[in-house]
Amino acid sequence: MERYDFKSIEPKWQKYWEEHNTFKAVTGDGRRKKFYALVEFPYPSGHGMHIGHIKAYSGLEVVSRKRRLEGYNVLFPIGFDAYGLPTENTAIKTGVHPRVLTDENILKFTDQLKRVGFSFDWSRVIDTTEESYYKWTQWIFLKMFEKGLVFRDKTLVNYCPSCQVVLSNEDSQGGKCDVCHSDIIQKTKEVWYLHITEYADKLLEGLDSVDYLPNIRLQQENWIGKSTGAFVDFTVKENGEKLRIYTTRPDTLYGVTFMVIAPEHPIIEKYRDSIANIDALDAYKAECAKKSEFERTQLVKDKTGVCIEGLTAINPITEKEIPIYISDYVMMGYGTGAIMAVPAHDTRDYEFAKKFGIDIIQVIKGGDISKEAYTGDGEMINSGILNGISTKKEAIAKMLEVLAEKGCGEKGVQYKMKDWAFNRQRYWGEPIPIVHCPHCGMVAVPYEELPLKLPKVDNFEPGTDGESPLAKIDSFVNCKCPKCGGDAKRETDTMPQWAGSSWYFLRYCDPTNNDAFASKEALEYWMPVDWYNGGMEHVTRHMIYSRFWHKFLYDIGEVPCSEPYAKRTAQGLVLGPDGDKMSKSKGNVIDPNDVVDVYGADVLRVYVLFMGDYEQAAPWSETGIKGCKRFLDRIWALRERMIDGDEYRPELTAPMHKTIKKVSEDIEAMKFNTAIAAMMSLINTIYDIGSINKAEFKSLLMILNPFAPHITEELYLDCFGQILSEQEWVSYDEALCTESTIEIAVQINGKLKGKINIFVDAQQDEAIAAAKADKNIAAAIEGKTVVKEIYVKGRIVNIVVK
């Protein structure tokens, strides 16, 4: 029997699809429903694609191929998010220009993507570093500048001494640089900001109108961090100044025994001559400057601080004097730069009070405050007019009345999210189209002069003080003011990498338009994105940033919908064969090129979706990929067993309808592993019968096609003389799918972990895949290595892990 020669067949079909524009989307096709599927476009690094890219794109690849067969006009685009520090750092090390590196990397990625057979519309490829693209990134920036959403401010920033660049909170989580993983320090610098907090409520409200995974929604809500509470003014006894604080627990004001302000608080500088221990405060502030924001705000660390000698606060409710401390955990960038401390009911305040011998007054009944803070609810005590109130809601409402009567506070709202630090002191990024004029101030580059081009340079190393390399280029810096015509200087910072990815989904709608970022007609036809899939690591940065840009464009009438993504799902990681996250240092990285070389693209495509629940992390298994190869080999061999027949035979009617239904529904639910398992089970049934007729083979090839398009196209043409991708998705009859199901137990290492429903005739592959698709079972085996899988037919599944 002739073997399946993937090395000649797969390139043959990839060439056919390209030459026949099989996956080209047509804007404004009124005959078909539109479907816009979006994946996160890759950063084209020098390492090329990794196996995670394959899994990330394979989910919507399958959905998109199915939609086309269902008659949809599908837009499934790809592009490259190509600005950023990694390429620039490589350029500095190697001396090769970032433009050259980027072009080489994009060619490598393109070749790899095409080799796997992804059905992207290659006529719509975008590159964020192309002038025709970043012209519109700059255009959107200037629109924000016009509307007051762009501003400059001097502030403490997260600074990476290694990359010599300012980083946003999102890019320096854990006190580490997102790019080089060096420690971040705090530095005072004038920074460009986008006023994203202006859109905080809109970003929260918009979550009610979209279909996001619950965890994605929760992470966005937590990142925005809206809280309701009260602003309260504490008077400074010595000078009458007001220190304003924000608290979510105004009901505990009777328990406030001290205040803490940021070491950088301006009141210290203002009254430094009357502060007896100003030298100690200055020394403490200097130490804080060496710490990252992450280090300063860690809960589990020694409490440090200095009591200010010469400034004393008055509790506005008890009218008692209380000391004011400075401490590193209070930041000027968060809230008001001052907090009230209730040590009896806050763990950090309790530890601070114990260390510095400050009074602790209990105002909520419960616990033992001689041992620890009581952070639960209870009846109010030692709280004057609040005494006896037993609910937090009622106590807060009463205290808000008192604050209003006294004129020392009012109800308020705060957000954890801060305005977006929107600049880099590096070369490889979009130039910020602003001119600094000594007479006119900050002036926008006229729209007709866009794009403000990134100049070609040989030396792109940042300055020792973190100054942009562009600042060294006199021909770029020195210019005329667009407003008054006088001498002026260009802004030399560039935009962060997140800029280009904040609107790329719009450009896909109309990627070659020179007169707009996309035409109204294209936007009205394609937007919103119907289904967006990507990594969980981007749901609080890229997704919030891009939703903000989109909502702004909606507010100024440039886009037709308020939310860019109707639906957002996520894929889990592909772990190394050892169950750990893949990394070069561990030597557990799987190169997709190597897999395609040995097994072919279809085997790789099927395996990355069969290896486990799509949303969960799963370890790579050589045994598993060999199993998928055997499955496709058996599909290929079926043509030797094909007989005539225009209808399903009685013995295969129920299995065919049941499998078509299962695969159709599982694709929509992203349960790809159980869809594949169902097809494997059907194959077993067919081999037990010994033959397959033409009607049965046509349907089988159709439902397998989104997963393994090359082998199915070849067999369909060979057996039926037609191009499969030009056919219609196969239907099923619900009445013919009803076969009895049974409930079986699922064990992990012999211990009962759950129960699943499967068909009576389910084979081992199908039963085990169904077990792994169960959320509880998937969670129990995530990150572990599967040693053995046992299925006792009709009774139990046992998965042995270590």
Side-chain angles (χ1 to χ4, degrees):
M1 184 183 70
E2 182 192 341
R3 294 177 64 83
Y4 174 54
D5 179 16
F6 67 84
K7 290 190 176 179
S8 62
I9 290 171
E10 290 182 348
K12 165 189 165 181
W13 284 103
Q14 289 158 16
K15 185 182 179 195
Y16 177 90
W17 297 326
E18 192 161 346
E19 288 177 350
H20 290 79
N21 294 317
T22 303
F23 311 124
K24 189 172 174 126
V26 182
T27 299
D29 184 343
R31 297 174 296 108
R32 297 180 290 167
K33 279 189 189 175
K34 72 95 177 177
F35 180 72
Y36 185 175
L38 182 69
V39 292
E40 292 171 344
F41 62 165
Y43 180 81
S45 72
H47 303 302
M49 274 176 52
H50 54 75
I51 210 75
H53 287 109
I54 307 297
K55 183 176 179 182
Y57 304 153
S58 291
L60 284 186
E61 158 73 1
V62 167
V63 173
S64 294
R65 282 185 178 268
K66 175 173 178 276
R67 285 285 189 282
R68 290 191 193 93
L69 292 165
E70 289 173 325
Y72 283 79
N73 182 20
V74 174
L75 171 56
F76 187 39
I78 194 68
F80 299 95
D81 188 14
Y83 272 133
L85 293 176
T87 297
E88 186 168 349
N89 288 343
T90 302
I92 290 167
K93 279 182 197 168
T94 62
V96 180
H97 196 279
R99 173 77 271 156
V100 175
L101 287 173
T102 297
D103 290 343
E104 288 174 355
N105 294 344
I106 286 175
L107 281 173
K108 185 189 292 186
F109 265 71
T110 299
D111 179 63
Q112 289 177 310
L113 288 165
K114 288 184 175 180
R115 208 170 163 225
V116 180
F118 286 116
S119 63
F120 295 124
D121 181 349
W122 290 101
S123 70
R124 293 176 183 256
V125 172
I126 58 174
D127 168 4
T128 58
T129 67
E130 291 285 351
E131 291 168 2
S132 59
Y133 182 91
Y134 72 71
K135 167 184 178 178
W136 300 107
T137 309
Q138 293 173 335
W139 185 90
I140 297 168
F141 176 88
L142 289 183
K143 286 293 178 186
M144 288 185 166
F145 183 72
E146 270 179 29
K147 300 295 182 181
L149 289 173
V150 176
F151 66 97
R152 275 171 80 83
D153 194 14
K154 198 168 256 190
T155 184
L156 275 177
V157 296
N158 305 310
Y159 182 75
C160 174
S162 175
C163 291
Q164 298 177 353
V165 68
V166 174
L167 297 169
S168 68
N169 280 354
E170 294 89 336
D171 293 335
S172 54
Q173 295 179 69
K176 301 283 184 183
C177 172
D178 219 25
V179 177
C180 71
H181 309 296
S182 300
D183 290 334
I184 298 302
I185 63 168
Q186 295 284 291
K187 186 171 182 174
T188 302
K189 195 165 183 66
E190 195 162 38
V191 170
W192 286 99
Y193 282 101
L194 296 190
H195 199 10
I196 191 172
T197 53
E198 185 76 17
Y199 275 72
D201 281 326
K202 286 183 179 180
L203 289 167
L204 284 171
E205 289 160 8
L207 294 173
D208 292 332
S209 64
V210 292
D211 177 15
Y212 291 177
L213 289 176
N215 192 23
I216 292 175
R217 178 184 176 124
L218 182 64
Q219 285 200 37
Q220 293 212 4
E221 287 172 339
N222 289 344
W223 191 265
I224 296 165
K226 182 177 183 178
S227 66
T228 55
F231 289 102
V232 184
D233 294 323
F234 285 70
T235 303
V236 179
K237 182 186 78 170
E238 290 82 357
N239 50 44
E241 286 271 1
K242 297 280 194 278
L243 280 173
R244 170 156 276 218
I245 64 95
Y246 173 79
T247 176
T248 57
R249 294 300 301 270
D251 53 318
T252 62
L253 270 160
Y254 280 95
V256 175
T257 58
F258 66 102
M259 291 187 76
V260 184
I261 64 174
E264 303 82 11
H265 199 290
I267 198 171
I268 297 170
E269 200 57 37
K270 187 173 182 179
Y271 294 103
R272 63 183 294 116
D273 292 343
S274 59
I275 297 172
N277 60 338
I278 191 66
D279 290 344
L281 269 61
D282 287 344
Y284 186 83
K285 178 182 174 184
E287 282 302 308
C288 290
K290 299 173 187 174
K291 298 178 185 178
S292 69
E293 186 171 322
F294 177 78
E295 290 172 314
R296 285 180 63 167
T297 55
Q298 281 287 78
L299 286 171
V300 185
K301 67 181 181 72
D302 289 338
K303 302 300 175 285
T304 63
V306 181
C307 184
I308 304 175
E309 297 172 13
L311 296 180
T312 312
I314 307 292
N315 183 322
I317 301 302
T318 65
E319 298 183 356
K320 290 180 180 176
E321 294 182 13
I322 56 173
I324 305 172
Y325 285 76
I326 61 168
S327 185
D328 59 359
Y329 69 86
V330 180
M331 311 278 293
M332 281 308 298
Y334 281 101
T336 63
I339 65 162
M340 68 178 210
V342 186
H345 305 292
D346 180 275
T347 302
R348 179 153 54 186
D349 294 347
Y350 184 89
E351 291 170 0
F352 196 96
K354 282 289 187 183
K355 177 166 182 175
F356 291 98
I358 306 169
D359 291 344
I360 298 174
I361 299 172
Q362 185 167 10
V363 293
I364 302 171
K365 189 184 286 186
D368 181 356
I369 65 160
S370 66
K371 294 179 180 174
E372 62 182 359
Y374 174 64
T375 57
D377 295 331
E379 182 186 335
M380 301 303 297
I381 57 173
N382 301 321
S383 295
I385 58 169
L386 301 186
N387 283 339
I389 296 176
S390 57
T391 69
K392 181 167 71 175
K393 186 177 179 181
E394 188 182 346
I396 289 173
K398 184 67 178 174
M399 181 54 76
L400 287 171
E401 290 176 15
V402 173
L403 292 171
E405 286 167 14
K406 284 178 166 278
C408 61
E410 72 276 342
K411 187 175 181 179
V413 173
Q414 282 279 74
Y415 300 92
K416 184 178 154 194
M417 180 174 70
K418 295 164 74 174
D419 282 325
W420 177 8
F422 193 77
N423 56 325
R424 296 284 185 271
Q425 294 69 46
R426 297 297 293 257
Y427 169 71
W428 195 235
E430 300 92 341
I432 292 176
I434 297 291
V435 169
H436 298 279
C437 174
H439 306 293
C440 308
M442 292 187 294
V443 181
V445 170
Y447 287 108
E448 60 271 19
E449 291 182 17
L450 297 180
L452 173 60
K453 295 179 182 178
L454 187 65
K456 292 182 172 68
V457 297
D458 295 323
N459 179 13
F460 26 80
E461 289 201 33
T464 51
D465 60 349
E467 194 177 55
S468 167
L470 297 180
K472 304 171 192 169
I473 307 169
D474 290 342
S475 60
F476 176 79
V477 174
N478 297 320
C479 64
K480 297 296 180 183
C481 172
K483 197 179 271 187
C484 71
D487 289 343
K489 292 189 180 294
R490 290 196 192 283
E491 173 59 50
T492 57
D493 282 358
T494 52
M495 298 185 196
Q497 186 183 342
W498 303 104
S501 62
S502 291
W503 70 280
Y504 76 112
F505 48 91
L506 297 171
R507 189 62 173 170
Y508 282 141
C509 297
D510 195 7
T512 57
N513 194 323
N514 293 319
D515 302 319
F517 61 80
S519 72
K520 296 278 186 194
E521 296 75 21
L523 292 169
E524 283 170 6
Y525 181 79
W526 289 115
M527 291 301 293
V529 172
D530 293 287
W531 195 338
Y532 191 10
N533 186 77
M536 285 301 295
E537 70 274 16
H538 290 142
V539 301
T540 55
R541 294 191 275 183
H542 156 65
M543 273 194 75
I544 287 178
Y545 293 160
S546 57
R547 290 181 61 225
F548 162 50
W549 278 46
H550 189 84
K551 284 182 174 294
F552 165 73
L553 291 170
Y554 177 72
D555 286 349
I556 64 170
E558 292 291 338
V559 294
C561 50
S562 64
E563 283 289 339
Y565 321 120
K567 180 175 182 174
R568 175 55 152 79
T569 51
Q571 76 282 345
L573 295 172
V574 179
L575 304 174
D578 54 2
D580 290 336
K581 192 172 178 179
M582 286 190 188
S583 74
K584 289 193 169 180
S585 61
K586 290 178 183 171
N588 64 353
V589 174
I590 303 295
D591 186 335
N593 277 331
D594 296 341
V595 181
V596 174
D597 286 343
V598 176
Y599 298 105
D602 279 343
V603 171
L604 173 62
R605 291 168 61 109
V606 170
Y607 177 63
V608 293
L609 295 177
F610 183 62
M611 63 196 302
D613 188 310
Y614 189 68
E615 293 174 16
Q616 303 293 326
W620 184 267
S621 162
E622 201 63 28
T623 305
I625 197 159
K626 286 175 180 174
C628 289
K629 181 184 184 303
R630 283 194 299 274
F631 167 57
L632 292 186
D633 284 344
R634 296 182 87 198
I635 294 284
W636 181 254
L638 278 177
R639 64 182 186 161
E640 304 291 334
R641 298 171 180 244
M642 189 175 71
I643 60 174
D644 285 337
D646 297 330
E647 295 179 351
Y648 303 153
R649 290 168 290 171
E651 62 269 36
L652 272 174
T653 297
M656 289 299 302
H657 284 274
K658 181 181 72 176
T659 306
I660 294 165
K661 178 179 191 291
K662 175 78 173 157
V663 172
S664 299
E665 291 177 349
D666 281 359
I667 287 174
E668 300 305 320
M670 295 196 120
K671 298 294 182 188
F672 305 115
N673 58 330
T674 53
I676 294 165
M679 288 185 278
M680 289 176 170
S681 180
L682 178 62
I683 286 290
N684 290 335
T685 303
I686 290 167
Y687 269 88
D688 287 344
I689 292 169
S691 62
I692 186 168
N693 74 18
K694 288 183 176 179
E696 294 153 358
F697 203 18
K698 271 189 174 183
S699 294
L700 174 59
L701 293 175
M702 179 66 67
I703 60 175
L704 178 59
N705 174 261
F707 300 88
H710 307 89
I711 191 172
T712 51
E713 285 273 27
E714 183 71 13
L715 285 169
Y716 210 90
L717 181 63
D718 187 45
C719 297
F720 309 114
Q722 296 173 308
I723 303 297
L724 193 156
S725 52
E726 295 172 4
Q727 308 309 308
E728 289 183 12
W729 186 253
V730 64
S731 60
Y732 61 88
D733 185 337
E734 186 76 48
L736 298 174
C737 295
T738 53
E739 279 194 359
S740 57
T741 60
I742 52 168
E743 184 180 70
I744 63 166
V746 182
Q747 296 180 340
I748 307 288
N749 294 341
K751 293 183 179 176
L752 182 66
K753 291 292 182 181
K755 292 183 177 179
I756 57 169
N757 282 299
I758 61 169
F759 289 106
V760 173
D761 60 351
Q763 302 297 313
Q764 174 160 328
D765 286 342
E766 193 172 10
I768 288 169
K772 287 180 176 178
D774 181 86
K775 280 194 162 52
N776 293 330
I777 305 304
I781 64 175
E782 186 174 3
K784 296 184 173 70
T785 302
V786 176
V787 178
K788 198 171 185 182
E789 297 167 335
I790 302 159
Y791 174 50
V792 180
K793 190 158 187 176
R795 291 177 57 198
I796 199 164
V797 168
N798 185 22
I799 301 171
V800 181
V801 298
K802 67 175 182 180

